[in-house]
Amino acid sequence: MREPQGCGLPSESACRSPKEALRILVAEDDRPVASFLKKGLEAEQYAVDVAAGGEEALSLAEAVDYDLMLLDLTLPELDGLDLLKRLRAQKRNLPVLILTGRNRVEDRVKGLDLGADDYVTKPFAYRELSARVRALLRRGHRPPELKLKVGDLELDRVERIVRRGGKTLELTPKEFALLEYLMRNAGRAVTRVMIIEHVWNFSFDTMTNVVDVYINYLRRKVDAGSEPKLIQTVRGIGYRLGTAADES
């Protein structure tokens, strides 16, 4: 395995994954491999959770609405194939990519028969794994959640492209994460506390104005020269994305 390249993005904590990014569960008990995967995927702006055992992975998969799962077959507590079988009884639409050192054809066939979407054997090249992850997300089982649309504003969560009125908008990673959160909550007001906890991943500090600063950045890019204005201030509460007709 080759070390994944850095994200090559501006500072502003660009390599840290926001909670509202596409969320991937890595079920892997080998700590170096799990760390390698987490580092590489987070550099591509995915939000990543790691489970070191089968029972923990199943519990997380049942509780969280993941966009993809990377599953090692040799997990403690609950074998990967047994986990997959139980998972498919509850989460039929969750894309699963098996990642394991088992090279036997029988294991691959069994994994695919139990509902895995793809299969990668160790050792692997990170670039290939990354391409397979993108392919699964792109064709994923829940396409409406991968592309968000409010009026003439469109956001593609896989390709990480934002357009308004057909024009591509150039956003920084943090601006993208903020806009994505607003679009996922389109039509309803979200507080500054909610925004900072979901986009910045830390508890709200009443002394910071980072939310207001980034809202202004977004307004210049999303609303400047366009009608109607989509980013609304809700007095005494926070912000809402939508038009007056979208108010709930």
Side-chain angles (χ1 to χ4, degrees), residues 75-101:
L75 293 173
E77 302 168 355
L78 181 64
D79 180 82
L81 290 176
D82 291 331
L83 188 158
L84 180 59
K85 185 175 182 180
R86 290 172 59 178
L87 185 64
R88 277 294 174 247
Q90 304 172 57
K91 296 257 184 173
R92 301 183 63 87
N93 294 329
L94 173 65
V96 175
L97 189 157
I98 290 178
L99 183 65
T100 183

Side-chain angles (χ1 to χ4, degrees), residues 67-170:
D67 297 286
L68 177 70
M69 181 180 189
L70 298 185
L71 175 62
D72 181 31
L73 294 186
T74 55
L75 293 173
E77 302 168 355
L78 181 64
D79 180 82
L81 290 176
D82 291 331
L83 188 158
L84 180 59
K85 185 175 182 180
R86 290 172 59 178
L87 185 64
R88 277 294 174 247
Q90 304 172 57
K91 296 257 184 173
R92 301 183 63 87
N93 294 329
L94 173 65
V96 175
L97 189 157
I98 290 178
L99 183 65
T100 183
R102 297 183 186 178
N103 293 313
R104 295 189 310 163
V105 174
E106 292 85 348
D107 290 322
R108 286 199 290 270
V109 171
K110 189 172 183 180
L112 294 171
D113 283 345
L114 286 175
D117 297 271
D118 202 354
Y119 199 111
V120 173
T121 57
K122 303 173 185 176
F124 58 89
Y126 182 80
R127 288 179 62 188
E128 178 189 358
L129 176 71
S130 176
R132 289 174 182 259
V133 165
R134 290 195 302 273
L136 283 179
L137 290 172
R138 191 175 296 114
R139 84 167 189 241
H141 299 283
R142 296 173 294 159
E145 295 183 4
L146 301 182
K147 291 186 179 181
L148 305 177
K149 184 175 173 63
V150 178
D152 62 349
L153 178 64
E154 302 175 54
L155 182 147
D156 189 317
R157 298 176 67 205
V158 174
E159 301 296 337
R160 305 194 70 77
I161 294 173
V162 176
R163 295 186 179 90
R164 180 155 194 198
K167 179 183 177 182
T168 300
L169 307 180
E170 298 296 332

Side-chain angles (χ1 to χ4, degrees), residues 128 216 218:
E128 178 189 358
N216 286 332
L218 273 186

